[in-house]
Amino acid sequence: FSNCKKIKEINLKNLDTSSVNIMKDVFHHCEKLESVDISNFDTSLVTTMYEMFFHCYKLKSIKFPETFNTSNVETMHAMFSNCLSLTSLNLSTFNVSKAKNIGYMFHCCNKLKYLDVSHFSTLNLIKIDYMFRYLSSLVYLNIYSLEINESVSKLRAFEFINSNVIICANKINMQTFLS
């Protein structure tokens, strides 16, 4: 569906994704797409979700499966980057324990108000560059349990974030983020 710039809706109810291992650019540049239901997606074999929803400017909602299996995904780089109309994301089923690159993941989601990534397991991370950059409407960010070691690249991870945002964090992870 990449570069389907005029499409507003996609019916994916009968799409079998059980043997898919790359979901790079699936909805990349679907600029008019407003809503997508991927609740029937089987992502158990997927290793990359690189720019999966990148530049979906009008996207307001994404319906994920109740058990969205991301346990084998190594990169979620820019997965939601430039989704200018998203106001919320439920990432409670995301497992990023094998992820190495989640940089730019929410970059320029400037209508996103609430974000909870406190459950993300970050032991294998290498990059979180620009992860929360340009979240100008963000009201609440929960990163409490994130453990980011000093070797992780975190270039401008919080640049141009809403200055009034409430960040739920612990002392250790904020010191690491700011170092």
Side-chain angles (χ1 to χ4, degrees), residues 23-36:
M23 288 197 171
K24 177 183 184 229
D25 299 334
V26 177
F27 303 102
H28 184 269
H29 270 284
C30 291
E31 296 173 1
K32 299 205 188 243
L33 185 64
E34 294 180 6
S35 174
V36 64

Side-chain angles (χ1 to χ4, degrees), residues 2-103:
S2 185
N3 287 309
C4 291
K5 294 184 179 188
K6 295 184 179 185
I7 198 162
K8 288 185 177 183
E9 296 179 19
I10 305 172
N11 182 346
L12 304 169
K13 291 192 190 312
N14 296 319
L15 185 64
D16 180 8
T17 60
S18 61
S19 60
V20 174
N21 62 1
I22 296 174
M23 288 197 171
K24 177 183 184 229
D25 299 334
V26 177
F27 303 102
H28 184 269
H29 270 284
C30 291
E31 296 173 1
K32 299 205 188 243
L33 185 64
E34 294 180 6
S35 174
V36 64
D37 181 345
I38 59 171
S39 59
N40 66 319
F41 273 29
D42 177 348
T43 53
S44 58
L45 300 177
V46 175
T47 58
T48 183
M49 293 182 172
Y50 184 94
E51 295 185 356
M52 190 171 176
F53 300 98
F54 186 73
H55 283 294
C56 291
Y57 302 126
K58 303 277 186 185
L59 189 62
K60 293 178 182 170
S61 67
I62 304 167
K63 184 175 181 186
F64 294 105
E66 284 186 30
T67 54
F68 192 53
N69 189 341
T70 57
S71 62
N72 288 310
V73 178
E74 293 182 8
T75 183
M76 293 181 178
H77 176 84
M79 186 173 179
F80 305 104
S81 185
N82 288 293
C83 289
L84 304 179
S85 300
L86 274 179
T87 57
S88 66
L89 277 169
N90 180 355
L91 306 175
S92 60
T93 60
F94 275 47
N95 175 346
V96 299
S97 61
K98 288 189 180 175
K100 295 176 183 165
N101 183 353
I102 56 176

Side-chain angles (χ1 to χ4, degrees), residues 101-119:
N101 183 353
I102 56 176
Y104 288 87
M105 191 170 184
F106 309 106
H107 177 259
C108 286
C109 291
N110 56 13
K111 287 192 178 172
L112 199 59
K113 294 188 182 296
Y114 303 95
L115 190 56
D116 185 345
V117 294
S118 61
H119 66 285

